[in-house]
Amino acid sequence: MKNSGTPPIIAIIGRPNVGKSTLFNRLVGKKLALVDDAAGTTRDRRYGQAHLVDLDFQVIDTAGMEEGGRDTLTTRMLEQTKAAILEADILLFLIDARAGLTPADEKFAALARRSNKPVILAANKAEGRAATAALADLYTLGFDNVALISAEHGEGMGDLFDALLETGGWGPGGGKKDDSESTKRPRKKKRMQTDEAESSEPPAPGPQSPLKIVILGRPNAGKSTLVNAILGDDRLLTGPEAGITRDAIAVRLEHGDIPIELVDTAGMRKRARVEGKLEHLAVADAIRAMQYAEVVVVLLDATAPMEKQDAAIAALVEREGRACVIGLNKWDLVTGDKKAYLEEIRYLLNKQLSQLAGIPVVPVCATKQQGLDKLLNACLKARDVWNLHAGTAALNRWLEAMQQAHTPPLIRGRRLKIKYITQTKSRPPTFQLFANMAKEFPDAYKKYLVHGLRETFGMEGTPIRLILKGSGKNPFENKKK
């Protein structure tokens, strides 16, 4: 039952390639869903906040409705669509005006009728003569509330608005009124659905800021299964097939009293092995989601960890300056001395990713829901480290001690003189170091200083930026340390 003013949920349903994702993007005003001419591009449910004229509502993009054999990917996609139908208040049933009615349209029109939900029949791609041809078929499906639209060109949105109003019950502010006789299945309140993870910069830290976590990894590492395990719900499509996930799908939940936005992404293969436009789009969507994250969980398959692609993904996270946590999934399949095996993984990580030395490694088993709290706690700690800010006075006392322990080297016969250091920002920790020969500063001594920053100020596992500047006046000269 909805409270007055609460935005309703509208599910866009229909057979493959009728333009559901294009309409979804039109309604939310952003290109959140992947769109391609190939049928079956969308597989998971994608949620977004939509607005049409003065109506606000939540919209769900769904997979094209097809029937398949038992326990096939097609069948699992259909189950995701049925879940969206159960959750929705209104069904927006889309057909292709150019193709006309098909047996699949008629079959799934019957499914929509059985839901006992208000149904709007929208004929998409109804530009020009296609609209006239579509009118003859529209009413044969038995729905009175119809609209002719073109999602790609934005035509017919006024008709769609009128059709939404005809469903009735719209309260103040565009929300649905109370419906005491609703027969819908009660929706869970443990999380709010949203898939707008790519739409904003990482939020400034604060008590109400959700922790933005993006999960990256190779195909079949168990990313979607991990998200489902954390949620305690089959929210995302999973299966033995590699590369099921395409869109970056975000969900919100609470860990204790801390809000979290968790984003599942498509598997990332080596660039040379990426095939087809869809896979390129999916990888680009994953990278875009990562760029707006605070913490990235790089999920490894514990039975085959630290392949070259795993290190490449973690290095990409470091280059983008995001906090990083390594998740070792399928930990239950590891045999032998697990403690020694974990130490070996940590050694390899520190060797291959020295720029993320001390990165936390958390063994998990998504299928058995083991290690999930430890993983989320590690992400919270990683965000805290990512936000650390060291005082300038403390930094310069540290710098003096570091130079006394290891004197700066000679460069072309001249002594390298480091004047002072200051932290200019966090997220990630960024420092400016002033020296007399900044352009010729040795990489080895720079790594020495970065390593010292990690150890002294507790910045293990987070990217550190050390920007070299030419000599400037030292504000700490002639002052007591």
Side-chain angles (χ1 to χ4, degrees):
M1 183 183 298
K2 280 186 176 294
N3 294 323
S4 179
T6 302
I9 298 176
I10 298 176
I12 305 174
I13 62 173
R15 61 183 177 83
N17 219 23
V18 295
K20 297 184 296 300
S21 295
T22 303
L23 179 59
F24 174 89
N25 287 342
R26 171 72 60 180
L27 292 173
V28 300
K30 302 168 185 174
K31 293 183 179 179
L32 295 181
L34 295 183
V35 176
D36 191 76
D37 292 335
T41 298
T42 301
R43 289 175 172 176
D44 283 292
R45 287 173 277 160
R46 176 180 277 279
Y47 292 71
Q49 300 300 324
H51 180 81
L52 184 61
V53 189
D54 61 351
L55 299 181
D56 294 304
F57 49 93
Q58 194 173 41
V59 64
I60 312 175
D61 185 22
T62 64
M65 295 190 291
E66 293 182 290
E67 289 186 328
R70 184 177 179 181
D71 200 30
T72 62
L73 177 59
T74 301
T75 300
R76 297 197 299 275
M77 289 164 62
L78 178 58
E79 290 304 314
Q80 287 283 319
T81 299
K82 288 180 178 178
I85 292 173
L86 282 174
E87 189 175 8
D89 300 296
I90 301 170
L91 303 182
L92 183 49
F93 182 32
L94 215 59
I95 67 169
D96 185 338
R98 297 174 186 171
L101 288 184
T102 67
D105 290 324
E106 295 174 355
K107 184 177 299 183
F108 292 112
L111 177 64
R113 280 192 292 270
R114 289 197 299 270
S115 71
N116 293 321
K117 306 287 179 71
V119 178
I120 298 170
L121 176 61
N124 190 30
K125 308 178 186 178
E127 308 95 330
R129 296 180 180 178
T132 305
L135 279 172
D137 291 334
L138 280 178
Y139 291 97
T140 63
L141 290 177
F143 301 111
D144 296 326
N145 200 355
V146 301
L148 300 176
I149 67 171
S150 171
E152 183 176 0
H153 301 290
E155 298 177 8
M157 292 299 107
D159 292 340
L160 181 57
F161 170 78
D162 292 338
L164 285 170
L165 286 181
E166 286 185 24
T167 62
W170 291 87
K176 290 283 282 185
K177 291 182 179 178
D178 286 345
D179 182 8
S180 58
E181 302 193 9
S182 172
T183 58
K184 301 185 297 297
R185 183 182 68 177
R187 285 184 295 279
K188 296 180 181 180
K189 296 183 179 180
K190 71 181 258 186
R191 69 180 188 274
M192 181 179 75
Q193 303 284 11
T194 176
D195 286 324
E196 301 188 33
E198 312 91 330
S199 63
S200 61
E201 292 288 346
Q208 301 301 321
S209 300
L211 169 60
K212 270 195 166 182
I213 303 174
V214 170
I215 302 178
L216 297 181
R218 289 182 283 123
N220 234 14
K223 299 180 293 298
S224 299
T225 304
L226 177 64
V227 174
N228 285 346
I230 292 173
L231 293 174
D233 185 18
D234 291 334
R235 166 64 181 84
L236 300 173
L237 190 65
T238 61
E241 303 91 347
I244 290 178
T245 302
R246 286 174 175 167
D247 293 272
I249 303 293
V251 292
R252 287 193 178 184
L253 64 145
E254 287 192 353
H255 177 57
D257 58 351
I258 299 172
I260 292 176
E261 184 174 89
L262 194 60
V263 185
D264 181 32
T265 62
M268 299 173 68
R269 299 196 293 173
K270 294 179 181 179
R271 183 177 299 179
R273 297 182 61 187
V274 175
E275 298 177 354
K277 178 184 174 184
L278 266 180
E279 188 173 359
H280 279 282
L281 289 172
V283 171
D285 204 29
I287 293 174
R288 183 165 57 251
M290 180 265 295
Q291 290 170 336
Y292 293 109
E294 293 178 281
V295 180
V296 176
V297 174
V298 178
L299 197 64
L300 276 56
D301 183 338
T303 62
M306 291 316 299
E307 292 192 3
K308 188 175 181 180
Q309 180 65 0
D310 294 324
I313 293 172
L316 175 63
V317 175
E318 191 278 333
R319 286 197 299 274
E320 289 295 332
R322 300 294 172 251
C324 189
V325 173
I326 300 295
L328 276 179
N329 194 25
K330 307 179 185 179
W331 189 243
D332 58 316
L333 301 180
V334 175
T335 57
D337 189 341
K338 290 189 175 183
K339 185 176 180 180
Y341 185 69
L342 184 59
E343 288 303 316
E344 182 183 355
I345 296 297
R346 287 179 173 140
Y347 170 78
L348 290 173
L349 279 168
N350 287 332
K351 185 177 180 181
Q352 296 185 31
L353 297 168
S354 59
Q355 65 272 40
L356 287 173
I359 187 171
V361 182
V362 183
V364 296
C365 177
T367 57
K368 296 184 178 179
Q369 298 187 334
Q370 296 172 351
L372 306 183
D373 285 342
K374 290 182 179 179
L375 182 65
L376 293 178
N377 290 336
C379 291
L380 289 169
K381 185 177 180 181
R383 180 173 69 167
D384 291 341
V385 174
W386 193 56
N387 279 293
L388 281 178
H389 196 286
T392 303
L395 281 170
N396 282 276
R397 288 194 294 268
W398 163 84
L399 179 61
E400 183 179 358
M402 292 291 286
Q403 292 185 85
Q404 289 176 353
H406 292 283
T407 305
L410 294 172
I411 299 177
R412 291 187 285 105
R414 295 175 58 197
R415 178 66 62 187
L416 175 65
K417 294 180 181 179
I418 304 174
K419 301 295 185 179
Y420 66 100
I421 186 172
T422 185
Q423 184 171 355
T424 55
K425 74 180 192 72
S426 54
R427 302 162 60 83
T430 302
F431 303 87
Q432 283 191 355
L433 188 69
F434 292 81
N436 62 334
M437 290 181 280
K439 292 184 178 180
E440 298 170 281
F441 202 97
D443 287 340
Y445 204 77
K446 184 178 179 180
K447 290 179 180 179
Y448 163 69
L449 294 177
V450 169
H451 181 71
L453 284 169
R454 290 192 193 282
E455 285 194 339
T456 305
F457 296 98
M459 296 181 176
E460 291 87 355
T462 200
I464 290 179
R465 303 288 186 255
L466 191 58
I467 300 171
L468 297 166
K469 295 285 186 179
S471 294
K473 183 179 178 181
N474 185 353
F476 291 89
E477 193 173 359
N478 301 323
K479 290 185 179 181
K480 285 187 176 181
K481 302 295 189 289

